[in-house]
């Protein structure tokens, strides 16, 4: 089976959209954390020490490979002196 056929099968699976969305969110969170880390001039090792994590965990998070738990997000936010905001808001009605 070709990669294209395999990809097509995966995207047709019932939970494929949810898995894709979770991966997209993890990637976006990782980009924000990386940007904040780099603004401070920190290495991944620096952030790992401040957040009491391993450098590998920080790298995987920044790459969007791992989906973080709320406690991990809280530790990263504290280490970066940032406020963690998690909210649910009603969607705007369709026009």
């Amino acid at each position: 089976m070709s990669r294209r056929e395999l990809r097509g099968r995966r995207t047709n699976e019932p939970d494929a959209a949810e898995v894709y969305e979770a991966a997209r969110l993890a990637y976006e969170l990782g980009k924000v954390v990386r940007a904040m880390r780099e603004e401070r001039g920190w290495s991944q090792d620096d952030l790992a020490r401040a957040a009491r994590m391993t450098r590998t965990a920080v790298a995987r998070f920044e790459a969007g490979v791992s989906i973080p738990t709320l406690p991990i997000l809280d530790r990263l936010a504290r280490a970066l002196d940032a406020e963690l905001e998690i909210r649910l808001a009603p969607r705007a009605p369709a026009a």
Side-chain angles (χ1 to χ4, degrees):
M1 180 176 294
S2 72
R3 289 180 95 178
R4 184 177 295 202
E5 290 170 325
L6 185 57
R7 190 179 316 125
R9 279 185 60 189
R10 286 184 185 153
T11 57
N12 290 331
E13 292 177 9
D15 61 347
E18 289 178 18
V19 171
Y20 176 81
E21 183 62 12
R24 187 190 67 76
L25 290 172
Y27 175 76
E28 293 298 325
L29 280 168
K31 279 184 12 181
V32 170
V33 168
R34 180 179 178 177
M36 292 180 80
R37 174 182 61 77
E38 290 176 342
E39 283 175 12
R40 286 166 175 69
W42 284 6
S43 67
Q44 288 180 337
D45 285 319
D46 295 330
L47 178 55
R49 272 190 297 280
R52 300 178 328 276
M53 299 171 65
T54 65
R55 188 208 50 82
T56 302
V58 170
R60 290 176 56 81
F61 177 76
E62 287 185 355
V65 175
S66 63
I67 298 173
T69 63
L70 292 176
I72 294 295
L73 287 174
D74 185 55
R75 284 170 40 190
L76 288 166
R78 288 174 189 266
L80 292 166
D81 194 29
E83 186 174 328
L84 177 62
E85 294 180 358
I86 300 170
R87 66 185 185 98
L88 295 174
R91 293 183 180 172

